[in-house]
Amino acid sequence: AFFAESAGIKINKKTFSAETGTGKIDGHDVLLLFPQTFMNESGKAVAKAMDFHDVKHSELIVVHDELELPFGDVKTKFGGGHKGHNGLRSIIAESGSPDFHRIRFGIGRPVNPQMDVADHVLSNFSKEESDKLPELFPAAEDLILSQIKKIDSN
């Protein structure tokens, strides 16, 4: 939502089992898609939108949480496996390829080693983490913008 607001794109349609908005970012046409399915079925929304808009895998950018990165670290990656991430697993299965851009937002592993990883992923951010989010979003936005520019230059 931060990115959509910052880019001036209104998320004002419900289609593809998702909330969507279209617009231009630095002259590049974009579709922002927020699947409204369960995470383990998000690939259905992504694949429908890709088919309808004739989006190639090399043009797809997925922003997702990443257990293997410490909270607040934001990194890019192209392709690869799903590493147990059910949302990525669904996108790969439904779209037919793992070869897309990823913006990985670190959430870190559970601090309590006895906490189930699924419970950690589904839990709310701590107060300290929530307070840090506004300062982290611009870094993620910069990476998304750089990926958009990279895709359009190819």
Side-chain angles (χ1 to χ4, degrees), residues 39 64-73 82-86 88 103-112 115-123 125 129:
M39 182 181 27
H64 66 89
D65 56 351
E66 176 66 62
L67 272 172
E68 302 306 328
L69 292 176
F71 174 80
D73 281 8
H82 56 72
K83 291 171 116 179
H85 191 291
N86 289 330
L88 291 177
I103 307 292
R104 304 159 53 218
F105 193 94
I107 61 168
R109 290 204 158 267
V111 177
N112 176 351
M115 182 180 206
D116 183 64
V117 171
D119 290 338
H120 172 66
V121 169
L122 296 173
S123 66
F125 290 115
E129 290 169 335

Coordinates of all heavy atoms in Angstrom, one line a residue, residues 39 64-73 82-86 88 103-112 115-123 125 129:
M39 N -2.5 -17.0 1.0 CA -1.2 -16.9 0.4 C -0.8 -18.1 -0.4 O -0.2 -18.0 -1.5 CB -0.1 -16.7 1.5 CG 1.2 -16.5 0.9 SD 2.6 -16.2 2.1 CE 2.1 -17.0 3.5
H64 N 7.9 -10.0 -1.4 CA 7.5 -11.0 -0.4 C 8.3 -10.9 0.9 O 9.4 -10.4 0.9 CB 7.5 -12.4 -1.0 CG 8.9 -12.9 -1.4 ND1 9.7 -13.6 -0.5 CD2 9.5 -12.8 -2.6 CE1 10.8 -13.9 -1.1 NE2 10.7 -13.4 -2.4
D65 N 7.8 -11.5 1.9 CA 8.5 -11.6 3.2 C 9.6 -12.7 3.0 O 9.5 -13.6 2.2 CB 7.6 -11.9 4.3 CG 6.8 -13.2 4.2 OD1 6.8 -13.8 3.1 OD2 6.1 -13.6 5.1
E66 N 10.7 -12.6 3.8 CA 11.8 -13.5 3.7 C 12.3 -13.9 5.1 O 12.9 -13.0 5.7 CB 12.9 -12.9 2.8 CG 14.2 -13.7 2.7 CD 13.9 -15.0 2.0 OE1 13.6 -15.0 0.8 OE2 14.2 -16.1 2.6
L67 N 12.1 -15.1 5.5 CA 12.6 -15.6 6.8 C 14.1 -15.5 6.9 O 14.7 -15.3 8.0 CB 12.2 -17.0 7.0 CG 10.9 -17.4 7.6 CD1 10.6 -18.8 7.5 CD2 10.8 -16.9 9.0
E68 N 14.8 -15.8 5.8 CA 16.3 -15.9 5.8 C 17.0 -14.6 5.9 O 18.3 -14.6 6.0 CB 16.8 -16.8 4.6 CG 16.1 -18.1 4.5 CD 16.3 -19.0 5.8 OE1 17.3 -18.9 6.5 OE2 15.4 -19.8 6.0
L69 N 16.3 -13.5 5.8 CA 16.9 -12.2 6.0 C 16.5 -11.6 7.3 O 15.4 -11.7 7.7 CB 16.5 -11.2 4.9 CG 16.9 -11.6 3.4 CD1 16.3 -10.6 2.5 CD2 18.4 -11.5 3.3
P70 N 17.5 -10.9 8.0 CA 17.1 -10.3 9.3 C 16.0 -9.2 9.0 O 15.9 -8.7 7.9 CB 18.4 -9.6 9.7 CG 19.5 -10.3 8.9 CD 18.9 -10.7 7.7
F71 N 15.2 -9.0 10.1 CA 14.1 -8.0 9.9 C 14.7 -6.7 9.4 O 15.7 -6.2 9.8 CB 13.4 -7.8 11.3 CG 12.5 -6.6 11.2 CD1 11.2 -6.9 10.7 CD2 12.8 -5.3 11.5 CE1 10.3 -5.8 10.6 CE2 11.9 -4.3 11.4 CZ 10.6 -4.5 10.9
G72 N 14.0 -6.2 8.3 CA 14.3 -4.9 7.8 C 15.3 -5.0 6.6 O 15.4 -4.0 5.9
D73 N 16.0 -6.1 6.4 CA 16.9 -6.2 5.2 C 16.0 -6.3 4.0 O 15.0 -7.1 4.0 CB 17.8 -7.3 5.3 CG 19.0 -7.1 6.2 OD1 19.1 -6.0 6.9 OD2 19.9 -8.0 6.3
H82 N 11.5 -21.8 -4.1 CA 10.5 -21.1 -3.2 C 11.0 -21.2 -1.8 O 10.5 -20.5 -0.9 CB 9.1 -21.7 -3.4 CG 9.1 -23.2 -3.2 ND1 9.2 -23.8 -2.0 CD2 8.9 -24.2 -4.1 CE1 9.1 -25.1 -2.1 NE2 8.9 -25.4 -3.4
K83 N 12.0 -22.0 -1.5 CA 12.5 -22.2 -0.1 C 11.4 -22.4 0.9 O 11.5 -21.9 2.0 CB 13.4 -21.0 0.3 CG 14.7 -20.9 -0.5 CD 15.4 -19.6 -0.3 CE 16.7 -19.8 0.4 NZ 17.3 -18.5 0.6
G84 N 10.3 -23.1 0.6 CA 9.3 -23.3 1.5 C 8.2 -22.2 1.6 O 7.3 -22.4 2.4
H85 N 8.4 -21.1 0.9 CA 7.5 -20.0 1.0 C 6.3 -20.4 0.1 O 6.4 -20.5 -1.1 CB 8.2 -18.8 0.4 CG 7.4 -17.5 0.6 ND1 6.2 -17.3 0.0 CD2 7.6 -16.4 1.4 CE1 5.7 -16.1 0.4 NE2 6.6 -15.6 1.2
N86 N 5.1 -20.6 0.8 CA 3.9 -21.1 0.1 C 3.4 -20.1 -1.0 O 2.9 -20.6 -2.0 CB 2.8 -21.4 1.1 CG 3.2 -22.7 1.9 OD1 3.9 -23.6 1.4 ND2 2.7 -22.8 3.1
L88 N 5.3 -18.1 -2.9 CA 6.2 -18.3 -4.0 C 5.9 -19.6 -4.7 O 5.9 -19.7 -5.9 CB 7.7 -18.2 -3.6 CG 8.1 -16.8 -3.2 CD1 9.6 -16.8 -2.7 CD2 8.0 -15.8 -4.3
I103 N 11.5 -9.0 -4.7 CA 12.0 -8.0 -3.7 C 11.7 -8.7 -2.4 O 10.6 -9.0 -2.0 CB 11.2 -6.7 -3.8 CG1 11.3 -6.1 -5.2 CG2 11.8 -5.7 -2.7 CD1 12.6 -5.7 -5.7
R104 N 12.8 -9.1 -1.7 CA 12.7 -9.9 -0.5 C 12.8 -9.0 0.7 O 13.8 -8.3 0.9 CB 13.8 -10.9 -0.5 CG 13.7 -11.8 -1.8 CD 15.1 -12.5 -2.1 NE 15.6 -13.2 -1.0 CZ 16.9 -13.3 -0.7 NH1 17.8 -12.7 -1.4 NH2 17.3 -14.0 0.4
F105 N 11.7 -8.9 1.5 CA 11.7 -8.1 2.7 C 11.9 -9.0 3.9 O 11.1 -9.8 4.3 CB 10.3 -7.4 2.8 CG 10.3 -6.3 3.8 CD1 10.6 -5.0 3.4 CD2 10.1 -6.5 5.2 CE1 10.6 -3.9 4.4 CE2 10.1 -5.5 6.1 CZ 10.3 -4.2 5.7
G106 N 13.1 -8.8 4.6 CA 13.4 -9.6 5.7 C 12.5 -9.5 6.9 O 12.2 -8.4 7.4
I107 N 12.0 -10.7 7.4 CA 11.3 -10.7 8.7 C 12.0 -11.5 9.7 O 11.6 -11.5 10.9 CB 9.9 -11.3 8.5 CG1 9.9 -12.7 7.9 CG2 9.0 -10.4 7.5 CD1 8.6 -13.5 8.0
G108 N 13.1 -12.1 9.3 CA 13.9 -12.9 10.3 C 13.2 -14.1 10.8 O 12.0 -14.3 10.6
R109 N 14.0 -14.9 11.4 CA 13.4 -16.2 12.0 C 12.9 -15.8 13.4 O 13.2 -14.8 14.0 CB 14.5 -17.2 12.1 CG 14.9 -17.8 10.7 CD 15.5 -19.1 10.8 NE 15.4 -19.8 9.6 CZ 14.4 -20.6 9.2 NH1 13.4 -20.9 10.1 NH2 14.4 -21.2 8.1
P110 N 12.1 -16.7 14.0 CA 11.5 -16.4 15.3 C 12.6 -16.3 16.3 O 13.6 -17.0 16.3 CB 10.7 -17.7 15.6 CG 10.5 -18.4 14.3 CD 11.6 -18.0 13.4
V111 N 12.5 -15.3 17.2 CA 13.4 -15.1 18.3 C 13.4 -16.2 19.3 O 14.4 -16.7 19.7 CB 13.1 -13.7 19.0 CG1 14.1 -13.5 20.2 CG2 13.3 -12.6 18.0
N112 N 12.2 -16.7 19.6 CA 12.0 -17.8 20.4 C 12.1 -19.1 19.6 O 11.3 -19.4 18.7 CB 10.6 -17.8 21.1 CG 10.3 -19.0 21.9 OD1 11.0 -20.0 21.9 ND2 9.1 -18.9 22.6
M115 N 9.1 -21.3 18.9 CA 8.0 -20.8 18.2 C 7.9 -21.5 16.8 O 8.9 -21.5 16.1 CB 8.0 -19.3 18.0 CG 6.8 -18.7 17.3 SD 7.0 -16.9 17.2 CE 5.3 -16.4 17.1
D116 N 6.8 -21.9 16.4 CA 6.6 -22.5 15.1 C 6.8 -21.4 14.0 O 6.4 -20.3 14.2 CB 5.2 -23.1 15.0 CG 4.9 -23.7 13.7 OD1 5.6 -24.8 13.4 OD2 4.1 -23.2 12.9
V117 N 7.5 -21.8 13.0 CA 7.8 -20.8 11.9 C 6.6 -20.3 11.3 O 6.5 -19.1 11.0 CB 8.8 -21.4 10.8 CG1 8.9 -20.5 9.6 CG2 10.1 -21.7 11.4
A118 N 5.6 -21.1 11.1 CA 4.3 -20.7 10.5 C 3.6 -19.6 11.4 O 3.1 -18.6 10.9 CB 3.4 -21.8 10.2
D119 N 3.7 -19.9 12.7 CA 3.1 -18.9 13.6 C 3.8 -17.6 13.6 O 3.2 -16.5 13.6 CB 3.1 -19.4 15.1 CG 2.1 -20.6 15.3 OD1 1.2 -20.7 14.5 OD2 2.3 -21.4 16.2
H120 N 5.2 -17.6 13.4 CA 6.0 -16.4 13.3 C 5.6 -15.6 12.1 O 5.4 -14.4 12.1 CB 7.5 -16.8 13.3 CG 8.4 -15.6 13.0 ND1 8.5 -14.6 13.9 CD2 9.2 -15.4 12.0 CE1 9.4 -13.7 13.3 NE2 9.8 -14.2 12.2
V121 N 5.5 -16.3 10.9 CA 5.2 -15.7 9.7 C 3.8 -15.0 9.7 O 3.6 -13.9 9.2 CB 5.3 -16.7 8.5 CG1 4.7 -16.1 7.2 CG2 6.7 -17.1 8.3
L122 N 2.9 -15.6 10.4 CA 1.5 -15.1 10.4 C 1.2 -14.1 11.5 O 0.2 -13.5 11.6 CB 0.5 -16.3 10.5 CG 0.5 -17.3 9.3 CD1 -0.4 -18.5 9.6 CD2 0.1 -16.5 8.0
S123 N 2.2 -14.0 12.4 CA 2.0 -13.1 13.6 C 2.2 -11.6 13.1 O 2.9 -11.3 12.1 CB 2.9 -13.4 14.7 OG 4.3 -13.2 14.4
F125 N 3.8 -7.8 13.5 CA 5.1 -7.3 13.8 C 5.1 -6.9 15.3 O 4.1 -6.5 15.8 CB 5.5 -6.1 13.0 CG 5.8 -6.5 11.5 CD1 5.0 -6.0 10.5 CD2 6.9 -7.2 11.2 CE1 5.3 -6.3 9.2 CE2 7.2 -7.6 9.9 CZ 6.4 -7.1 8.9
E129 N 9.3 -3.4 15.8 CA 9.4 -3.6 14.3 C 8.4 -2.7 13.6 O 8.7 -2.1 12.6 CB 9.0 -5.1 14.0 CG 10.1 -6.0 14.4 CD 9.7 -7.5 14.3 OE1 8.5 -7.8 14.3 OE2 10.7 -8.3 14.1

